[in-house]
Amino acid sequence: MSKPLVVRLHDESADSDIFNADASTCRPYLIHGIVECVRAAQAGGAGLIVYNRAEGNALGEVAKFLVHNARKVWASLDEP
């Protein structure tokens, strides 16, 4: 008999995962993965979150925060 298996690979994002910053899109993807893992488990299968303690996909801390701050500036320019 076939059972569902859901796996979500997630790289740590301190600004999003810990500080709940809006500049990163990591948190919504992690939450979606958790929800899908729960659904698979409730359907008799399994869900697995692989949480890598590797910040920012090798972008580097300083570069990553510069990019996120730039996103905030660009987003504020679109606001009336």
Side-chain angles (χ1 to χ4, degrees), residues 11-74:
D11 289 334
E12 178 182 52
S13 175
D15 56 332
S16 179
D17 297 347
I18 298 170
F19 300 114
N20 200 22
D22 292 336
S24 176
T25 59
C26 297
R27 188 179 191 88
Y29 288 115
L30 176 59
I31 291 170
H32 176 72
I34 293 169
V35 168
E36 291 303 314
C37 285
V38 169
R39 284 186 183 149
Q42 289 173 337
L48 174 67
I49 301 290
V50 179
Y51 192 89
N52 296 312
R53 296 294 313 259
E55 179 73 35
N57 295 325
L59 180 61
E61 288 295 319
V62 173
K64 188 174 112 173
F65 285 112
L66 288 172
V67 168
H68 288 178
N69 287 333
R71 285 183 186 163
K72 287 180 186 178
V73 170
W74 295 330

